[in-house]
Amino acid sequence: EYEDTGLLLQPQLEGQDYGAAAADGTQCPSVSVSRNSSAKRDCLVVAVLCFGNLINFIDWFIVPGILLEIQKYFGLSDGETGLLQTVFTLCYMLAAPIFGYLGDRYNRKIILGAGIFFWSGVTLGSSFITESHYRIFVLSRGLVGIGSASYSTIAPTIIADLFEEGKRTTVLSIFYIFIPVGSGCGYILAAGMAESTGDWHWALRVTPCMGGLGLLLLILLVPHRIQRKTAAHRALSISGTIQGADEKSDVHRTAKTTWCQDVGSLVQNCSFVCSSLGLTAMAFVTGSLGVWMPLFLYRAQVVQGIVPPCLQESCNSSNSLIFGGITIGTGILGIIAGAEAARRLRKINNKADPLICATSMFISALCLYIALMVAQTNILSTFIFIAFGELFLSVNWAVVTDILLYVVTPRRQSTAIALQILVSHLLGDAGSPYLIGVISNTIQARNIPSLQWSFQSMQYSFVICAFIGVLGGGFFLLTSFFIEEDREEAQR
């Protein structure tokens, strides 16, 4: 299919001449120059999108990186503290379908730019909120989530337009590496700024500057119109029939389907539904770990007598720094390993992608369970098993997105990504931080207040993440039964 998925096709100025040259068995020098220029432009576009993804996920995890200080500043319980990330994620997921609809129909560059400008401005404004305005701070996190939704929904589909399937997994892997890198940098930046300035508010004033730079690069380096590149499109251009392809593209552009029709088609796509539920389990686990793990490690260290209880405004931020470093390292290694495993195993098994995701989820769940069980006696072992748990979770990021991109027809990809974001966050990390906090509060309320029960309440509530991880592995395993048929259907 030759459709622009929301963007107008670029005019083929040299289409007829190139076809004639190919027919003679010769190649016009200008074509080689054009290809080199196009490749450089594509690399610049990907670099800009990766930088934007970095900023996006730094903003996601700025608040978890200074959660202990925020909890003390506003005087929050565990449940109220978890509500911050829950509101962020709820707004993020509710905005995603709207941006998916817009991304399939309107100029994506404008939508991306507006999103970066909006979330950067709100983040900067939230750094000036005082302790008596907790509700406004919660609202600001929700607004940041809306801005982030525009980026996470649309940016991957631009990469899908720029690269054919063979290269797309590699480029998506590079793009998704910036999820754990950005997340880890969020912890490190937040903890570093809070420690160096003595005021956690300064952590929220760095990323808006980065957002301004990202917006400028987007305006200067990303073109307004991007042509979808497929092997069929290249073959047509070589045979000199690109004009016919463009005419076919015009037919597809006029044959728009409604949003309800798109959703109805996606719901019938078993591979899309099952892989989205698997991603939902991933989101539940990563959302809980991302918000609560530094605080959980702090409480474990207090129980072991490694660190004293934090009774002052500026608390020890070493756990956020270490957890941020683990997130970056395991994220990069996991995504690269996942992409490479998928690339190799696809050659011998058409079901390799969902099987890789299922296996990694099962191993991750086991590692996280062991980490929780040894936390009270051996903090070093806890860090090691948390690292392995995050490593195997990170294996799935690029692979899950690639599954979506080849089991869903191109004209529905933005909508599919938006729906996947909606479902995975609605049932995943939208509620998991708040749920963990509420369970922790309930356990503490039923026991005598103490440092021991403060730790154990978080430990017991965290166990649910291991079971959800196993459930996610089951959904990915189920995906493997449908993926071949759905992939062929999408290609037709």
Side-chain angles (χ1 to χ4, degrees), residues 8 28 50 55 57 76 116 135 169 173 217 306 312 330 356 389 403 433 458 482:
L8 297 176
C28 179
C50 288
I55 304 168
F57 280 89
L76 308 177
I116 293 173
R135 293 183 179 180
T169 301
S173 299
L217 293 174
I306 298 174
Q312 54 187 357
T330 58
I356 290 171
I403 289 174
M458 187 64 65
F482 306 103

Side-chain angles (χ1 to χ4, degrees), residues 32-258:
S32 179
V33 174
S34 176
R35 284 181 176 175
N36 290 335
S37 176
S38 176
K40 291 180 180 178
R41 184 209 66 179
D42 293 349
C43 289
L44 285 174
V45 171
V46 171
V48 172
L49 294 178
C50 288
F51 182 65
N53 209 29
L54 174 70
I55 304 168
N56 189 9
F57 280 89
I58 288 177
D59 264 333
W60 270 59
F61 291 94
I62 279 285
V63 167
I66 47 176
L67 199 64
L68 185 57
E69 285 84 352
I70 291 176
Q71 189 176 42
K72 290 175 61 63
Y73 183 79
F74 289 107
L76 308 177
S77 66
D78 285 349
E80 291 171 326
T81 305
L83 187 62
L84 285 172
Q85 196 73 358
T86 292
V87 170
F88 173 93
T89 311
L90 281 172
C91 292
Y92 174 88
M93 71 178 192
L94 292 174
I98 298 173
F99 288 115
Y101 177 88
L102 296 175
D104 280 336
R105 291 160 176 79
Y106 301 103
N107 190 294
R108 296 172 181 175
K109 177 178 177 177
I110 295 176
I111 299 172
L112 286 181
I116 293 173
F117 177 81
F118 181 76
W119 95 59
S120 297
V122 174
T123 300
L124 180 62
S126 67
S127 69
F128 298 99
I129 297 175
T130 61
E131 65 268 23
S132 59
H133 295 90
Y134 166 68
R135 293 183 179 180
I136 296 178
F137 189 75
V138 172
L139 176 63
S140 72
R141 294 307 297 166
L143 295 177
V144 172
I146 293 175
S148 296
S150 67
Y151 201 89
S152 297
T153 304
I154 294 173
T157 63
I158 294 180
I159 292 177
D161 285 347
L162 287 173
F163 297 93
E164 299 169 19
E165 185 173 324
K167 297 180 180 178
R168 189 173 61 212
T169 301
T170 301
V171 178
L172 281 172
S173 299
I174 296 171
F175 178 79
Y176 281 109
I177 277 175
F178 288 90
I179 292 180
V181 170
S183 303
C185 287
Y187 291 109
I188 294 171
L189 177 64
M193 290 299 297
E195 187 171 345
S196 61
T197 63
D199 183 359
W200 62 266
H201 291 88
W202 282 99
L204 300 172
R205 297 167 186 168
V206 178
T207 52
C209 300
M210 299 173 65
L213 176 60
L215 180 59
L216 180 62
L217 293 174
L218 180 76
I219 294 172
L220 295 177
L221 299 179
V222 177
H224 282 279
R225 300 176 180 178
I226 296 177
Q227 171 187 307
R228 171 173 290 279
K229 296 181 180 179
T230 64
H233 195 278
R234 185 179 66 251
L236 284 170
S237 67
I238 292 175
S239 64
T241 57
I242 190 70
Q243 184 176 359
D246 289 340
E247 290 173 356
K248 187 177 180 182
S249 178
D250 290 336
V251 172
H252 281 290
R253 281 203 299 272
T254 58
K256 293 289 185 183
T257 55
T258 66

Side-chain angles (χ1 to χ4, degrees), residues 78 293 295-304 371-379 382 440 443-444 448-462:
D78 285 349
M293 187 51 69
L295 190 59
F296 171 76
L297 293 170
Y298 157 77
R299 291 182 180 180
Q301 290 171 336
V302 169
V303 170
Q304 294 182 37
L372 294 174
M373 294 301 103
V374 302
Q376 187 171 350
T377 57
N378 193 323
I379 198 68
T382 304
S440 177
I443 295 173
Q444 290 182 49
I448 300 174
S450 66
L451 294 175
Q452 179 68 32
W453 274 112
S454 178
F455 161 74
Q456 287 187 316
S457 64
M458 187 64 65
Q459 181 188 41
Y460 294 155
S461 61
F462 249 139

Side-chain angles (χ1 to χ4, degrees), residues 350-370:
N350 293 330
K351 301 179 179 181
D353 288 351
L355 292 177
I356 290 171
C357 293
T359 303
S360 63
M361 285 296 289
F362 290 141
I363 297 175
S364 174
L366 177 61
C367 292
L368 291 176
Y369 182 80
I370 295 174

Side-chain angles (χ1 to χ4, degrees), residues 331-404:
I332 293 174
L333 184 59
I335 289 176
I336 293 174
E340 184 62 18
R343 186 183 68 82
R344 291 176 180 271
L345 294 178
R346 280 175 195 160
K347 298 176 182 178
I348 58 176
N349 190 338
N350 293 330
K351 301 179 179 181
D353 288 351
L355 292 177
I356 290 171
C357 293
T359 303
S360 63
M361 285 296 289
F362 290 141
I363 297 175
S364 174
L366 177 61
C367 292
L368 291 176
Y369 182 80
I370 295 174
L372 294 174
M373 294 301 103
V374 302
Q376 187 171 350
T377 57
N378 193 323
I379 198 68
L380 178 60
S381 297
T382 304
F383 276 115
I384 292 173
F385 281 105
I386 286 172
F388 278 110
E390 287 209 307
L391 174 66
F392 285 100
L393 276 176
S394 299
V395 164
N396 294 349
W397 283 117
V399 182
V400 171
T401 302
D402 207 27
I403 289 174
L404 180 149

